[in-house]
Amino acid sequence: MISREGQLSVLFLKTADIFLLASALALSVALYYSSEVNTLEFLSTRIKLSNAVLGGLMLIIWHVCFNLKGLYLSYRLSNAGEILRSVTKVVSLCTMILLVAAQINPWRTINLWTLSGFFIFSILFIGGYRTVVFYVSKRFRKRGINTKSLVVLGGGKRSEHFIRSIQRKKELGFKVLGYLDSDPLFSYSEINGRPYLGKFEDLKKIIDTEVVDEVVIALPIKSQYTRIKTAIEELEEQGVTIHILSDFFPHQLAKIEPREFHGFPLMSLHSAPTFHWRTELKRLIDIMTSFTLLILLLPLFIAIAILIKLDSKGAVLFSQERMGYSKRRFKMVKFRTMVNDAEAKLKEIEHLNEKDGAIFKIKNDPRITRIGKYLRKFSLDELPQLLNVLLGDMSLVGPRPLSIRDALGLEESWQKRRFSIRPGMTCLWQISGRSNLSFEEWMELDLEYIDTWSLYLDWWILLKTIPAVVTAKGAV
């Protein structure tokens, strides 16, 4: 049940959203036609009865979209970023609906520019307004205004940890009434100052007579499945919001994401960066940067190609099958730095390997050509991989792609998590000593990158790569 304060705030939100959408459309149209001598007179000539009716219908449809997309559900468990993403999605839908409506009943004032303006202004107005409301609401809830009453089902360690956390975060606006448990071990004692309310059988009586907005179930699903099922049925009947603590299984790395798959509720666990605007921006940066560098470095590519041809027989470029994202195989391109039959000669010198683990590295590899030695020292042989980045096989930053031989030689399962993201041209290993590091240190750095990935980390690695390449630190 929503409190009186909550009902008023939702009504205020709905009114504000419609007003801000209409304002965004009016502003975008007014700016587009601002060069007219008399803007108001110009716009008034285009207001017809059919347009007015369709405009009113648009406001109703936009309101329905905001409702269907959950923009009026409680956001107290969300953060500002999630709110802005939700606003962007629903504004995108409203913009598409406006485009369709303008085709049904042609509006001369609705064109590509005014639609773009509507989209941008709507996000700025509504996103800005809701962000302010979000932070103001947190301040109110800290003072005990618009709080929700909460009952916890279960009295074990998980309940104790949850109650302690929820009471510490007063800005969420939850008042824990207490907990229920039938186990004598957890009965008749307080948890972090919250009282024992009774056995599981008392839940129905409590929600019948007390103000209970939400219930958190913190019971072990294996031994308490029947009780959990019964509790959900009782709470559903009375419209009480239910939260189930989803840490059913031990996981240290994976992040939980609830979602729905064609009507089936799912709980997804991710131990690698998931699809997000940041991952999309990373890909966009990859495309733009690789394309630009391929053009700018073309004279250098030609010069290197000539030197390779003068130094030894064979092709200028060397492609080798590597294992990339989700163990997909792709051809990685490099400038050739070895003799033509280098792959065939590998078995003859495998016993000279100076590295542990799956990789093969020796300092004075007899297969390397004279020019190849310098190309490797300053990583110039890696530059053609910009083409792999452009095609999407690789990224500018990510774990270095392993050859099929080395990838199949990985023995530890934790090492194979490096295949959960796109491989890259440079990485933490590249700026931390390269071949001076052991194989296990290399793998640990790759996983550290995956676990702590951010756009800032990518930028930092790219900046650090320049001095690492210039000084040829750890190059073999």
Side-chain angles (χ1 to χ4, degrees):
M1 184 182 293
I2 301 175
S3 64
R4 184 167 63 253
E5 296 93 336
Q7 290 174 338
L8 288 173
S9 63
V10 169
L11 177 62
F12 196 70
L13 270 179
K14 290 179 177 180
T15 306
D17 286 338
I18 294 300
F19 173 76
L20 292 173
L21 282 170
S23 299
L25 181 58
L27 180 59
S28 62
V29 172
L31 287 176
Y32 182 74
Y33 291 105
S34 61
S35 59
E36 296 289 331
V37 177
N38 190 330
T39 304
L40 292 176
E41 181 182 344
F42 178 80
L43 292 176
S44 65
T45 61
R46 284 155 176 76
I47 298 176
K48 301 176 182 178
L49 178 61
S50 58
N51 285 351
V53 171
L54 192 55
L57 184 61
M58 287 298 307
L59 294 178
I60 295 172
I61 293 173
W62 286 342
H63 173 69
V64 171
C65 289
F66 271 66
N67 269 295
L68 292 177
K69 289 296 182 179
L71 268 290
Y72 301 116
L73 298 177
S74 175
Y75 270 81
R76 65 181 66 210
L77 296 178
S78 305
N79 55 48
E82 290 171 333
I83 293 173
L84 290 175
R85 283 195 292 274
S86 298
V87 168
T88 302
K89 287 178 182 177
V90 76
V91 167
S92 300
L93 179 59
C94 291
T95 306
M96 293 300 297
I97 292 171
L98 178 60
L99 175 62
V100 173
Q103 304 307 311
I104 295 173
N105 185 56
W107 288 347
R108 288 185 58 189
T109 52
I110 304 299
N111 52 47
L112 179 61
W113 293 106
T114 53
L115 276 173
S116 301
F118 170 74
F119 176 75
I120 294 169
F121 289 135
S122 295
I123 291 176
L124 289 176
F125 292 169
I126 298 174
Y129 167 70
R130 282 178 171 263
T131 301
V132 171
V133 169
F134 175 73
Y135 285 109
V136 170
S137 298
K138 286 174 69 173
R139 294 183 68 87
F140 279 129
R141 289 194 289 263
K142 275 187 176 181
R143 298 177 182 178
I145 301 172
N146 193 23
T147 59
K148 289 191 174 185
S149 56
L150 189 76
V151 169
V152 179
L153 211 58
K157 288 289 183 183
R158 293 167 75 211
S159 299
E160 183 180 347
H161 176 68
F162 174 78
I163 291 174
R164 188 184 301 113
S165 298
I166 209 74
Q167 287 188 301
R168 192 164 53 241
K169 298 175 181 177
K170 296 184 184 295
E171 69 274 9
L172 296 179
F174 286 107
K175 179 185 177 183
V176 181
L177 300 179
Y179 75 98
L180 296 96
D181 204 309
S182 296
D183 192 332
L185 185 64
F186 306 120
S187 302
Y188 309 105
S189 61
E190 291 186 348
I191 294 181
N192 207 47
R194 296 297 87 199
Y196 170 71
L197 300 177
K199 298 181 179 180
F200 294 128
E201 293 76 16
D202 297 320
L203 176 63
K204 191 175 188 306
K205 181 179 70 176
I206 290 172
I207 60 176
D208 281 343
T209 57
E210 302 290 336
V211 177
V212 178
D213 294 310
E214 303 185 13
V215 172
V216 172
I217 299 177
L219 295 169
I221 192 169
K222 183 176 180 181
S223 59
Q224 301 290 337
Y225 175 79
T226 303
R227 279 192 172 128
I228 293 173
K229 182 174 178 291
T230 303
I232 290 174
E233 289 171 353
E234 291 176 352
L235 295 167
E236 275 185 327
E237 281 181 348
Q238 300 200 31
V240 179
T241 301
I242 309 161
H243 304 283
I244 303 176
L245 296 188
S246 55
D247 54 338
F248 303 129
F249 312 106
H251 56 277
Q252 297 177 335
L253 299 171
K255 296 177 179 65
I256 295 176
E257 180 188 1
R259 57 172 61 180
E260 190 172 289
F261 181 75
H262 292 278
F264 293 92
L266 296 179
M267 181 180 68
S268 303
L269 278 72
H270 304 282
S271 55
T274 54
F275 180 84
H276 193 271
W277 70 265
R278 293 183 185 88
T279 59
E280 292 306 288
L281 182 56
K282 176 182 171 75
R283 179 64 191 135
L284 183 61
I285 292 171
D286 283 343
I287 293 171
M288 294 174 64
T289 306
S290 59
F291 181 76
T292 303
L293 288 177
L294 282 169
I295 294 173
L296 294 177
L297 295 175
L298 186 58
L300 178 61
F301 282 18
I302 294 172
I304 292 174
I306 293 171
L307 290 173
I308 291 172
K309 292 299 287 183
L310 292 174
D311 183 51
S312 61
K313 293 181 180 180
V316 169
L317 296 175
F318 167 75
S319 66
Q320 185 184 51
E321 195 172 42
R322 298 285 176 116
M323 193 171 284
Y325 174 62
S326 289
K327 300 183 180 68
R328 290 179 174 84
R329 301 188 180 196
F330 70 97
K331 292 285 187 180
M332 190 184 79
V333 186
K334 300 175 69 174
F335 282 122
R336 182 174 60 84
T337 59
M338 291 187 175
V339 293
N340 240 350
D341 55 348
E343 291 285 293
K345 290 184 176 180
L346 177 60
K347 290 186 177 180
E348 300 174 13
I349 57 173
E350 265 189 318
H351 64 284
L352 300 175
N353 190 11
E354 297 171 358
K355 290 290 177 184
D356 55 351
I359 58 171
F360 175 82
K361 292 277 185 182
I362 55 175
K363 282 186 178 179
N364 298 308
D365 194 323
R367 301 172 299 164
I368 298 177
T369 62
R370 287 174 299 174
I371 188 63
K373 183 178 180 181
Y374 292 100
L375 293 177
R376 285 186 163 218
K377 183 177 181 180
F378 298 105
S379 297
L380 294 174
D381 59 320
E382 311 283 358
L383 291 177
Q385 289 164 36
L386 289 167
L387 182 60
N388 290 114
V389 174
L390 185 63
L391 295 174
D393 298 321
M394 294 174 62
S395 176
L396 291 173
V397 184
R400 288 294 296 156
L402 295 178
S403 66
I404 302 302
R405 171 195 173 278
D406 294 347
L408 295 177
L410 295 177
E411 296 177 353
E412 301 291 336
S413 296
W414 63 269
Q415 296 171 348
K416 297 176 184 178
R417 193 152 60 87
R418 70 193 317 278
F419 300 120
S420 62
I421 64 173
R422 276 193 185 96
M425 291 183 66
T426 185
C427 57
L428 286 174
W429 168 78
Q430 197 90 2
I431 63 173
S432 303
R434 298 162 77 180
S435 297
N436 292 335
L437 301 176
S438 68
F439 177 73
E440 186 160 339
E441 287 173 324
W442 176 8
M443 295 296 107
E444 287 174 353
L445 284 172
D446 284 345
L447 297 193
E448 180 185 335
Y449 171 77
I450 294 171
D451 295 336
T452 61
W453 176 78
S454 68
L455 291 172
Y456 172 78
L457 179 60
D458 276 5
W459 178 246
W460 181 78
I461 290 173
L462 286 170
L463 288 179
K464 288 283 186 179
T465 299
I466 298 171
V469 169
V470 171
T471 59
K473 182 181 176 183
V476 171

